[in-house]
């Protein structure tokens, strides 16, 4: 079971929960999505954008943005893992977190204890990034590229 990364969570109020539940299904595909979202939540576009920024600043959200099929844009991504000695775990996590190519990483209770997703502009950039991580960390990477696409439609009700 993956270990959950500690974040500076605060109690989410009812508005936060409604907002995050709604946004997990995406923004409305209309000319003025923030206005429609605000109307559905009895709010204002400014309040919603401010709240999202606060949730990002607090670490409750790690990112907010669109999901793209990077391969259809000639990009490349992969799931990868490192077997990081415990005394270096935080240092290596900081190294990965500083890289714009790293979408996210997390700890697992396994020999391969640090898992991460890389997204790059091209297959060549992906190969170079994998090599750079190995060079900078001195650790071998377990590279697990996608073999087949599945759409899960994941939603975490709050």
């Amino acid at each position: 079971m993956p270990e959950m990364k500690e974040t500076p969570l605060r109690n989410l109020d009812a508005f936060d929960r409604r907002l995050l539940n709604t946004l997990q299904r995406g923004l409305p595909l209309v000319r003025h999505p923030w206005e429609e979202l605000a109307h559905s939540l009895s709010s204002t576009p400014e309040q919603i954008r401010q709240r999202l920024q606060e949730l990002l600043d607090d670490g409750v959200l790690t990112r907010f943005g669109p999901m793209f099929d990077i391969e259809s844009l000639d990009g490349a991504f992969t799931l990868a893992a490192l077997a990081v000695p415990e005394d270096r775990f935080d240092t290596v996590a900081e190294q990965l977190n500083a890289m714009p190519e790293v979408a996210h990483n997390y700890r697992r209770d396994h020999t391969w204890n640090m898992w991460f997703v890389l997204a790059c502009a091209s297959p060549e950039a992906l190969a170079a990034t994998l090599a750079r991580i190995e060079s900078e960390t001195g650790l071998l990477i377990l590279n697990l590229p996608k073999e087949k696409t599945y759409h899960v439609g994941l939603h975490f009700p709050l």
Side-chain angles (χ1 to χ4, degrees):
M1 182 91 184
E3 180 179 309
M4 298 303 291
K5 181 180 175 183
E6 284 190 40
T7 59
L9 288 177
R10 59 180 173 72
N11 292 326
L12 296 176
D13 63 22
F15 178 77
D16 292 337
R17 292 176 195 281
R18 285 191 353 254
L19 174 62
L20 296 176
N21 281 331
T22 301
L23 287 175
Q24 287 185 65
R25 291 184 172 82
L27 281 171
L29 296 177
V30 296
R31 180 178 292 274
H32 301 286
W34 293 108
E35 286 80 1
E36 185 167 316
L37 180 63
H39 178 74
S40 74
L41 295 172
S42 301
S43 183
T44 66
E46 295 75 22
Q47 181 186 12
I48 290 172
R49 287 191 292 262
Q50 178 184 347
R51 199 69 175 135
L52 286 171
Q53 188 59 59
E54 290 169 357
L55 293 168
L56 287 163
D57 293 345
D58 289 349
V60 173
L61 296 178
T62 56
R63 81 178 282 287
F64 177 78
M67 298 290 289
F68 294 102
D69 178 3
I70 195 166
E71 291 172 327
S72 70
L73 301 170
D74 296 325
F77 70 96
T78 195
L79 173 65
L82 294 169
V84 182
E86 190 57 40
D87 63 334
R88 295 186 53 211
F89 195 90
D90 290 341
T91 301
V92 173
E94 288 176 16
Q95 285 177 280
L96 291 183
N97 289 340
M99 299 178 70
E101 300 90 349
V102 176
H104 62 274
N105 71 66
Y106 55 95
R107 178 190 292 262
R108 295 212 47 190
D109 184 20
H110 187 273
T111 300
W112 296 96
N113 57 349
M114 183 177 292
W115 290 69
F116 55 99
V117 173
L118 289 178
C120 297
S122 68
E124 297 78 19
L126 179 66
T129 302
L130 289 166
R132 188 172 96 229
I133 291 170
E134 284 188 341
S135 174
E136 290 179 6
T137 65
L139 301 168
L140 292 177
I141 292 179
L142 175 63
N143 182 19
L144 301 164
K146 175 184 77 173
E147 293 180 358
K148 187 173 180 177
T149 299
Y150 297 91
H151 179 73
V152 178
L154 188 61
H155 180 258
F156 296 103
L158 300 173

